[in-house]
Amino acid sequence: MAAPPAPEPTGTGGSRRWLGDRIGSVEVLAALLILLIIFRDPLAGMLDDPRLQTWTTVFVSIMVQAVPFLVFGVLLSAVIAVFVPRSFWARALPRHPALAVPAASAAGVVLPGCECGSVPIAGSLIRRGVTPAAALAFLLAAPAVNPIVLTATAVAFPGNPELVLARGVASLVVAMVMGWLWLRLGRTEWIRMPRRPELEDASRGRAFWGAVRHDVTHAGGFLVLGAMAAASINVLVPERWLQRLADNAWLSILALALLAVLLSLCSEADAFVAASLSQFSLTSRLVFLVVGPMVDLKLIAMQAGVFGRRFALRFAPTTFAVAVLVAVAAGAVLL
């Protein structure tokens, strides 16, 4: 005789399941719209605040710049994850990890994109069997040395072609150094790749769109958090501080390195911001251009989401230090 069905649990667990079954994205959106209608008058008054207007402008500009390249990177990531066989990477990259690092760094030259797209691509490369050192070298090189970024830098600095060369060389060197450092000091347990059930036991078409949905919602959420933090810092830091720091050569280098992290600009647009900082030396602005695509708030947040916080807490500070040192050395030789 069949056992009677187990009674539905009561209490917290049952209410959680009930809420999970009843409340979805549509209900949340409807609740937000109702709240906006109720509080429309105080919100309208807040929007007249110049500081809030500046915050909104910075936040929206970061999102507008980053989202198209994030989508491009997500689509390319899904193609790599679903349609490219593991054997391809075994043939495309040298078998020795130390040689795979410069090969992966050079691959960034031919793949247009920004740091927002390089994070999910690097995650797919690791899932497809690429050694993490090579994938991380690609992650750092692709946003800084691709044709779009170098062309934008040449347009922003028409009278300083040596700055374009210095940016490309310094960024490649940083990417390779970080890849080799990972081979020497990195540990596999520092990378916590999330499980991807949407890629298992599914047709290629369903797996492709499942991967796209996962990466857009996952990486996009961290992009929003990073953009919010960057906009907040942009409003809180007084502009007069920059002028005072520009008068000291070493402090100006550190100041622009930190500014690149805080502003979280897309690599396709950062050259125009650097060109506007005319009170700073070319070497300081080179540091800004090398650090920005490799270490910024939104990128750190996305790395923590894709690879885990243990990875981001080690990788980001080390990349920052290496990027500053290499950029200063490149500026001393090439500028």
Side-chain angles (χ1 to χ4, degrees):
M1 182 174 180
E8 183 69 22
T10 59
T12 305
S15 62
R16 284 179 180 174
R17 275 200 298 275
W18 187 89
L19 290 174
D21 293 338
R22 296 294 188 272
I23 298 180
S25 58
V26 176
E27 288 77 9
V28 172
L29 178 60
L32 289 175
L33 291 176
I34 293 173
L35 291 174
L36 288 174
I37 293 173
I38 295 174
F39 298 102
R40 62 183 182 275
D41 291 334
L43 287 175
M46 291 174 59
L47 291 175
D48 292 334
D49 187 346
R51 292 168 64 85
L52 182 58
Q53 291 178 352
T54 301
W55 188 96
T56 304
T57 301
V58 174
F59 174 78
V60 172
S61 64
I62 291 175
M63 294 300 297
V64 169
Q65 290 173 354
V67 166
F69 296 99
L70 174 63
V71 173
F72 172 80
V74 164
L75 292 174
L76 184 57
S77 170
V79 170
I80 294 173
V82 176
F83 296 102
V84 179
R86 294 178 182 269
S87 59
F88 170 81
W89 302 109
R91 296 192 303 267
L93 294 174
R95 292 187 177 182
H96 197 289
L99 299 178
V101 167
S105 301
V109 177
V110 297
L111 285 178
C114 76
E115 59 271 26
C116 304
S118 65
V119 174
I121 293 174
S124 285
L125 291 176
I126 294 176
R127 287 191 185 90
R128 305 309 289 175
V130 174
T131 176
L136 296 176
F138 172 84
L139 182 152
L140 296 177
V145 300
N146 70 69
I148 295 178
V149 170
L150 295 181
T151 301
T153 306
V155 172
F157 293 89
N160 303 103
E162 67 277 8
L163 186 66
V164 182
L165 175 62
R167 180 178 193 179
V169 171
S171 299
L172 277 176
V173 171
V174 173
M176 289 187 291
V177 168
M178 288 303 300
W180 286 326
L181 279 178
W182 180 266
L183 284 177
R184 181 71 176 176
L185 304 175
R187 297 180 182 178
T188 305
E189 59 267 23
W190 291 348
I191 296 182
R192 179 190 53 80
M193 298 296 295
R195 184 172 173 268
R196 301 297 299 272
E198 73 277 6
L199 301 182
E200 301 171 2
D201 302 325
S203 64
R204 286 191 171 187
R206 293 183 62 184
F208 173 80
W209 290 114
V212 169
R213 286 193 300 269
H214 176 277
D215 283 345
V216 166
T217 56
H218 195 71
F222 283 97
L223 171 61
V224 170
L225 293 177
M228 292 174 63
S232 300
I233 293 173
N234 194 291
V235 171
L236 296 175
V237 176
E239 293 184 5
R240 63 179 182 274
W241 290 7
L242 297 179
Q243 183 61 49
R244 294 178 180 176
L245 291 173
D247 296 333
N248 187 298
W250 291 106
L251 285 181
S252 66
I253 290 173
L254 182 59
L256 285 196
L258 293 174
L259 186 64
V261 176
L262 299 178
L263 288 182
S264 300
L265 297 171
C266 205
S267 57
E268 279 74 15
D270 59 359
F272 299 97
V273 176
S276 68
L277 300 172
S278 56
Q279 66 268 42
F280 290 90
S281 66
L282 279 180
T283 298
S284 300
R285 287 182 279 178
L286 174 62
V287 172
F288 178 89
L289 295 174
V290 174
V291 170
M294 297 184 177
V295 189
D296 63 34
L297 290 180
K298 69 178 186 297
L299 184 56
I300 294 172
M302 292 175 66
Q303 287 178 356
V306 174
F307 300 114
R309 285 179 295 178
R310 294 181 65 190
F311 169 84
L313 290 174
R314 292 168 171 83
F315 191 74
T318 306
T319 303
F320 178 85
V322 172
V324 171
L325 293 175
V326 171
V328 170
V333 174
L334 299 174
L335 299 181

